[in-house]
PDB file of all heavy atoms in Angstrom:
ATOM      1  N   PRO A  18     -31.892 -21.210  15.059  1.00 70.00           N
ATOM      2  CA  PRO A  18     -32.106 -19.753  15.014  1.00 70.00           C
ATOM      3  C   PRO A  18     -31.010 -19.081  14.192  1.00 70.00           C
ATOM      4  O   PRO A  18     -29.847 -19.452  14.262  1.00 70.00           O
ATOM      5  CB  PRO A  18     -32.047 -19.324  16.471  1.00 70.00           C
ATOM      6  CG  PRO A  18     -31.290 -20.408  17.163  1.00 70.00           C
ATOM      7  CD  PRO A  18     -31.559 -21.678  16.393  1.00 70.00           C
ATOM      8  N   VAL A  19     -31.398 -18.093  13.415  1.00 72.00           N
ATOM      9  CA  VAL A  19     -30.466 -17.341  12.584  1.00 72.00           C
ATOM     10  C   VAL A  19     -29.968 -16.149  13.399  1.00 72.00           C
ATOM     11  O   VAL A  19     -30.743 -15.412  13.984  1.00 72.00           O
ATOM     12  CB  VAL A  19     -31.151 -16.850  11.296  1.00 72.00           C
ATOM     13  CG1 VAL A  19     -30.191 -16.021  10.463  1.00 72.00           C
ATOM     14  CG2 VAL A  19     -31.693 -18.024  10.511  1.00 72.00           C
ATOM     15  N   LYS A  20     -28.649 -15.985  13.406  1.00 68.00           N
ATOM     16  CA  LYS A  20     -28.038 -14.895  14.156  1.00 68.00           C
ATOM     17  C   LYS A  20     -28.151 -13.609  13.339  1.00 68.00           C
ATOM     18  O   LYS A  20     -27.723 -13.549  12.191  1.00 68.00           O
ATOM     19  CB  LYS A  20     -26.574 -15.211  14.419  1.00 68.00           C
ATOM     20  CG  LYS A  20     -25.988 -14.479  15.565  1.00 68.00           C
ATOM     21  CD  LYS A  20     -24.579 -14.966  15.827  1.00 68.00           C
ATOM     22  CE  LYS A  20     -24.288 -14.859  17.290  1.00 68.00           C
ATOM     23  NZ  LYS A  20     -22.919 -15.228  17.597  1.00 68.00           N
ATOM     24  N   THR A  21     -28.735 -12.603  13.917  1.00 68.00           N
ATOM     25  CA  THR A  21     -28.887 -11.331  13.221  1.00 68.00           C
ATOM     26  C   THR A  21     -27.735 -10.407  13.579  1.00 68.00           C
ATOM     27  O   THR A  21     -26.909 -10.722  14.434  1.00 68.00           O
ATOM     28  CB  THR A  21     -30.216 -10.652  13.617  1.00 68.00           C
ATOM     29  OG1 THR A  21     -30.173 -10.366  15.012  1.00 68.00           O
ATOM     30  CG2 THR A  21     -31.405 -11.534  13.293  1.00 68.00           C
ATOM     31  N   GLU A  22     -27.704  -9.256  12.920  1.00 64.00           N
ATOM     32  CA  GLU A  22     -26.638  -8.297  13.188  1.00 64.00           C
ATOM     33  C   GLU A  22     -26.726  -7.775  14.617  1.00 64.00           C
ATOM     34  O   GLU A  22     -25.718  -7.563  15.278  1.00 64.00           O
ATOM     35  CB  GLU A  22     -26.735  -7.136  12.200  1.00 64.00           C
ATOM     36  CG  GLU A  22     -25.595  -6.153  12.302  1.00 64.00           C
ATOM     37  CD  GLU A  22     -25.683  -5.062  11.254  1.00 64.00           C
ATOM     38  OE1 GLU A  22     -26.321  -5.257  10.230  1.00 64.00           O
ATOM     39  OE2 GLU A  22     -25.079  -4.011  11.502  1.00 64.00           O
ATOM     40  N   LYS A  23     -27.936  -7.603  15.122  1.00 63.00           N
ATOM     41  CA  LYS A  23     -28.103  -7.119  16.488  1.00 63.00           C
ATOM     42  C   LYS A  23     -27.542  -8.122  17.490  1.00 63.00           C
ATOM     43  O   LYS A  23     -26.943  -7.753  18.481  1.00 63.00           O
ATOM     44  CB  LYS A  23     -29.575  -6.860  16.783  1.00 63.00           C
ATOM     45  CG  LYS A  23     -30.139  -5.675  16.049  1.00 63.00           C
ATOM     46  CD  LYS A  23     -31.586  -5.481  16.379  1.00 63.00           C
ATOM     47  CE  LYS A  23     -32.171  -4.319  15.599  1.00 63.00           C
ATOM     48  NZ  LYS A  23     -33.600  -4.141  15.878  1.00 63.00           N
ATOM     49  N   ASP A  24     -27.743  -9.412  17.220  1.00 60.00           N
ATOM     50  CA  ASP A  24     -27.229 -10.439  18.125  1.00 60.00           C
ATOM     51  C   ASP A  24     -25.705 -10.438  18.149  1.00 60.00           C
ATOM     52  O   ASP A  24     -25.088 -10.606  19.194  1.00 60.00           O
ATOM     53  CB  ASP A  24     -27.728 -11.828  17.719  1.00 60.00           C
ATOM     54  CG  ASP A  24     -29.232 -11.971  17.876  1.00 60.00           C
ATOM     55  OD1 ASP A  24     -29.808 -11.218  18.697  1.00 60.00           O
ATOM     56  OD2 ASP A  24     -29.813 -12.812  17.177  1.00 60.00           O
ATOM     57  N   SER A  25     -25.083 -10.240  16.977  1.00 58.00           N
ATOM     58  CA  SER A  25     -23.625 -10.267  16.942  1.00 58.00           C
ATOM     59  C   SER A  25     -23.042  -9.042  17.629  1.00 58.00           C
ATOM     60  O   SER A  25     -21.982  -9.109  18.232  1.00 58.00           O
ATOM     61  CB  SER A  25     -23.129 -10.365  15.501  1.00 58.00           C
ATOM     62  OG  SER A  25     -23.495  -9.210  14.787  1.00 58.00           O
ATOM     63  N   ILE A  26     -23.737  -7.910  17.548  1.00 59.00           N
ATOM     64  CA  ILE A  26     -23.259  -6.711  18.238  1.00 59.00           C
ATOM     65  C   ILE A  26     -23.377  -6.888  19.743  1.00 59.00           C
ATOM     66  O   ILE A  26     -22.488  -6.529  20.499  1.00 59.00           O
ATOM     67  CB  ILE A  26     -24.039  -5.463  17.770  1.00 59.00           C
ATOM     68  CG1 ILE A  26     -23.679  -5.141  16.321  1.00 59.00           C
ATOM     69  CG2 ILE A  26     -23.748  -4.264  18.665  1.00 59.00           C
ATOM     70  CD1 ILE A  26     -24.501  -4.039  15.713  1.00 59.00           C
ATOM     71  N   LYS A  27     -24.460  -7.495  20.193  1.00 57.00           N
ATOM     72  CA  LYS A  27     -24.659  -7.714  21.618  1.00 57.00           C
ATOM     73  C   LYS A  27     -23.632  -8.681  22.187  1.00 57.00           C
ATOM     74  O   LYS A  27     -23.209  -8.556  23.317  1.00 57.00           O
ATOM     75  CB  LYS A  27     -26.056  -8.258  21.891  1.00 57.00           C
ATOM     76  CG  LYS A  27     -27.149  -7.244  21.679  1.00 57.00           C
ATOM     77  CD  LYS A  27     -28.503  -7.880  21.927  1.00 57.00           C
ATOM     78  CE  LYS A  27     -29.628  -6.920  21.594  1.00 57.00           C
ATOM     79  NZ  LYS A  27     -30.936  -7.576  21.738  1.00 57.00           N
ATOM     80  N   SER A  28     -23.226  -9.650  21.390  1.00 53.00           N
ATOM     81  CA  SER A  28     -22.322 -10.679  21.895  1.00 53.00           C
ATOM     82  C   SER A  28     -20.870 -10.217  21.964  1.00 53.00           C
ATOM     83  O   SER A  28     -20.053 -10.852  22.602  1.00 53.00           O
ATOM     84  CB  SER A  28     -22.405 -11.926  21.018  1.00 53.00           C
ATOM     85  OG  SER A  28     -21.919 -11.632  19.728  1.00 53.00           O
ATOM     86  N   GLU A  29     -20.536  -9.100  21.306  1.00 54.00           N
ATOM     87  CA  GLU A  29     -19.155  -8.613  21.354  1.00 54.00           C
ATOM     88  C   GLU A  29     -18.840  -8.058  22.734  1.00 54.00           C
ATOM     89  O   GLU A  29     -19.711  -7.566  23.442  1.00 54.00           O
ATOM     90  CB  GLU A  29     -18.932  -7.524  20.308  1.00 54.00           C
ATOM     91  CG  GLU A  29     -18.990  -8.027  18.893  1.00 54.00           C
ATOM     92  CD  GLU A  29     -18.812  -6.901  17.884  1.00 54.00           C
ATOM     93  OE1 GLU A  29     -18.598  -5.738  18.299  1.00 54.00           O
ATOM     94  OE2 GLU A  29     -18.892  -7.188  16.697  1.00 54.00           O
TER      95      GLU A  29
END
Side-chain angles (χ1 to χ4, degrees):
V19 178
K20 202 174 211 184
T21 63
E22 186 177 337
K23 290 180 182 178
D24 294 336
S25 64
I26 291 173
K27 289 178 185 176
S28 66
E29 292 178 2

